[in-house]
Amino acid sequence: MAMARQVLLLQVVVLTVTLLDTLAPTHANVEGDALYALRRAVRDPKNVLQSWDPTLVDPCTWFHVTCDADNRVTRLDLGNAQLRGRLVPELGKLERLQYLELYMNNLVGPIPEEIGELKSLVSLDLYHNNLTGSIPASLSKLSNLKFMRLNSNRLTGRIPRQLTKLQSIKIFDVSNNDLCGTIPTTGSFSKFTEESFRNNSRLEGPELMGFVRYDIGGCK
């Protein structure tokens, strides 16, 4: 009788663990789903995403994806891949992503605010696309970011003042867009030259503190 109880208890434990494994999404599943959302949102004429098979649990086996020792995605290298389409908010789920390299494609639409959730991000390279809309203020949460290159898109609106709080930033380039307002000069932006902002015909500055009001005039 005691043996039967032990066997029954063991079966219950095994069934419970199995159900928990089934119901609780693993990091690999969440990150694989996020990357596959990007694949669905773009056209891929060169088939560079051909290896992105959603039936594989681990996206670390996919080309152009790099992972760490814990099988967490740390790099996405898709520069100059001739991708056409939009960025997806699901990219914000790649919690350990350090390098988001999507430059020189034909990406359109806005930069998702969820990119600001990538707390490990070191490099954000979205230059030479056709991105529109404003620069999300949420990017100011990227405390480890060193390189932000958004140049040669069609971005509009003001440069968010929150970005001046990015202490680690070394390169900031928003040249060749349609930004407006004034150029920030405080905080980390004090070290950037006008080259970082050139060819924005509606952009004024740099700001003279106490002389130029940031919120003056229409700017969209």
Side-chain angles (χ1 to χ4, degrees), residues 95-113:
E95 295 177 349
R96 294 195 191 176
L97 191 69
Q98 297 178 21
Y99 296 87
L100 182 55
E101 307 297 324
L102 284 164
Y103 55 87
M104 296 180 70
N105 285 290
N106 191 18
L107 299 175
V108 299
I111 300 172
E113 291 186 7

Side-chain angles (χ1 to χ4, degrees), residues 10 43 70 72 88 94 135 140 149-150 154 180 190 192 194 197-198:
L10 180 60
R43 281 184 285 175
D70 298 323
R72 304 292 300 279
V88 293
L94 303 175
I135 300 172
S140 64
R149 286 174 278 237
L150 308 177
R154 297 191 301 163
C180 56
S190 62
F192 299 134
E194 291 188 37
F197 311 96
R198 64 186 175 84

Side-chain angles (χ1 to χ4, degrees), residues 57-211:
V57 175
D58 189 356
C60 299
T61 61
W62 300 353
F63 290 159
H64 312 290
V65 176
T66 303
C67 295
D68 60 16
D70 298 323
N71 285 341
R72 304 292 300 279
V73 176
T74 58
R75 288 189 69 113
L76 187 57
D77 290 293
L78 288 168
N80 198 21
Q82 296 184 19
L83 300 178
R84 295 174 177 269
R86 292 175 174 266
L87 297 174
V88 293
E90 288 87 347
L91 290 174
K93 297 178 181 178
L94 303 175
E95 295 177 349
R96 294 195 191 176
L97 191 69
Q98 297 178 21
Y99 296 87
L100 182 55
E101 307 297 324
L102 284 164
Y103 55 87
M104 296 180 70
N105 285 290
N106 191 18
L107 299 175
V108 299
I111 300 172
E113 291 186 7
E114 290 80 0
I115 299 295
E117 301 301 319
L118 301 175
K119 301 298 176 57
S120 300
L121 201 65
V122 173
S123 179
L124 177 61
D125 282 328
L126 301 176
Y127 58 89
H128 285 284
N129 280 288
N130 285 297
L131 297 170
T132 55
S134 58
I135 300 172
S138 62
L139 299 184
S140 64
K141 297 188 291 184
L142 302 175
S143 58
N144 291 305
L145 195 68
K146 294 183 179 179
F147 311 103
M148 186 189 298
R149 286 174 278 237
L150 308 177
N151 50 295
S152 300
N153 280 286
R154 297 191 301 163
L155 299 172
T156 56
R158 301 182 187 277
I159 299 171
R161 286 316 183 262
Q162 296 92 323
L163 297 182
T164 63
K165 299 177 182 178
L166 291 172
Q167 297 302 316
S168 299
I169 196 81
K170 293 183 177 180
I171 293 178
F172 178 84
D173 192 348
V174 292
S175 60
N176 298 294
N177 279 288
D178 189 26
L179 300 172
C180 56
T182 52
I183 298 173
T185 57
T186 59
S188 56
F189 274 51
S190 62
K191 59 191 173 187
F192 299 134
T193 68
E194 291 188 37
E195 286 296 304
S196 297
F197 311 96
R198 64 186 175 84
N199 293 336
N200 285 277
S201 60
R202 299 191 298 144
L203 195 61
E204 301 175 1
E207 287 180 357
L208 300 174
M209 297 306 295
F211 294 93

Side-chain angles (χ1 to χ4, degrees), residues 3-18:
M3 180 65 72
R5 285 200 190 101
Q6 289 179 349
V7 171
L8 180 60
L9 180 60
L10 180 60
Q11 289 175 336
V12 171
V13 170
V14 170
L15 180 60
T16 302
V17 171
T18 302

